[in-house]
Amino acid sequence: MIVALIDSGLGLLPTASWLRKLRPDVDLLLLLDPDGAPWGPKPEQWVVERVVGAARQAVESGAEVIVLPCNTASVTALDQVRAAVGDSVPVIGTVPAIKPAAAQCNSVAVWATAATTASRYQADLIARFGGDAKVVGVACHGLADAIDRGDIAAIRESIADSAARTPADVEGVVLGCTHYPLVIDAIVAALPDGVRLFDSAQAVAAQTVRKMDALGRPSTGNGTVRVRTSGRPGELPSGAATFESGRLLGALPA
């Protein structure tokens, strides 16, 4: 069983590492797009073509399940990817954990990229799932890019700026970009004691396992990790080694 994960950068690492922990035997194919990153500010049709192209390449490489551990890819191209690969290949998207956060906290901040924070997509999610909680968006300028570079100083600076702009009465913070769980310890340290963090990576990994099992096919593999970068055989960027998830996955060229 080969599971493919598609993202422009290192945002796929948290979900991939959870899959490795839940099913260490499954072979993973990581498809990154350094040539096109970041996807968030790009035109919608450009993103669709980029993500669908990666999904088709994943299927050609033997993937039986596809995961989009990226909010931009999920909101922009999830339906198109499902149409492109057909019903026989499950495709799992990612949604920020606004619903559970709003159910458990009176005041919630959604930390996300500037593009996502300003998007109709996030506004609609807050309207649909915010319930009675007060939910605000906080744009974390430069944080995802700094994570992709493994730039610790820039990561700390962005987190500190984001924390300073987070309302003082916030009880929960939703990590609305899949990159952010990679620096969760630094985020926790920057926030007041008692603030809860909500992340979707573990839930997406668990849903992926359920979809794998529902296929009823042998899933035992060698636990390999292969990487493609913008369509080419490659390896994880050096910045991945900055994070525990990247070290856990220690990828091989595809």
Side-chain angles (χ1 to χ4, degrees), residues 2-208:
I2 298 174
V3 177
L5 297 95
I6 300 171
D7 193 359
S8 63
L10 298 184
L12 50 66
L13 291 181
T15 301
S17 63
W18 271 110
L19 279 170
R20 170 59 72 243
K21 293 171 186 174
L22 294 172
R23 296 293 291 272
D25 59 317
V26 170
D27 297 323
L28 302 178
L29 174 61
L30 311 182
L31 296 102
L32 294 82
D33 186 21
D35 293 356
W39 286 343
K42 300 295 196 306
E44 183 172 313
Q45 189 54 41
W46 185 97
V47 175
V48 168
E49 292 173 1
R50 208 76 174 181
V51 178
V52 168
R56 287 182 170 140
Q57 188 176 82
V59 172
E60 291 169 1
S61 298
E64 297 177 76
V65 179
I66 292 174
V67 187
L68 304 181
C70 168
N71 293 303
T72 297
S74 296
V75 67
T76 307
L78 181 60
D79 291 341
Q80 292 90 333
V81 169
R82 285 174 171 159
V85 302
D87 295 339
S88 63
V89 180
V91 182
I92 298 93
T94 299
V95 176
I98 294 172
K99 185 175 182 179
Q104 299 174 52
C105 303
N106 294 314
S107 178
V108 175
V110 183
W111 281 26
T113 65
T116 298
T117 301
S119 69
R120 173 72 65 94
Y121 164 65
Q122 180 164 298
D124 288 346
L125 286 177
I126 292 172
R128 289 172 59 195
F129 300 124
D132 295 328
K134 182 176 74 173
V135 184
V136 299
V138 175
C140 302
H141 301 288
L143 182 53
D145 291 342
I147 290 171
D148 274 336
R149 298 193 306 270
D151 186 337
I152 298 299
I155 289 168
R156 290 174 177 163
E157 181 178 350
S158 179
I159 289 173
D161 174 67
S162 302
R165 290 183 290 105
T166 299
D169 65 345
V170 155
E171 298 175 4
V173 169
V174 175
L175 302 183
C177 171
T178 54
H179 284 63
Y180 298 171
L182 293 170
V183 292
I184 195 167
D185 290 344
I187 293 173
V188 169
L191 292 168
D193 291 344
V195 174
R196 302 177 61 184
L197 266 59
F198 294 84
D199 163 40
S200 57
Q202 184 176 2
V204 172
Q207 174 69 353
T208 302

Side-chain angles (χ1 to χ4, degrees), residues 192-247:
D193 291 344
V195 174
R196 302 177 61 184
L197 266 59
F198 294 84
D199 163 40
S200 57
Q202 184 176 2
V204 172
Q207 174 69 353
T208 302
V209 171
R210 286 192 289 271
K211 292 292 187 180
M212 289 165 45
D213 291 342
L215 291 174
R217 302 171 190 162
S219 60
T220 301
N222 298 313
T224 61
V225 181
R226 293 180 295 149
V227 177
R228 295 191 71 87
T229 55
S230 299
R232 304 177 296 273
E235 56 189 22
L236 285 173
S238 58
T242 306
F243 311 108
E244 180 183 357
S245 296
R247 294 191 295 271

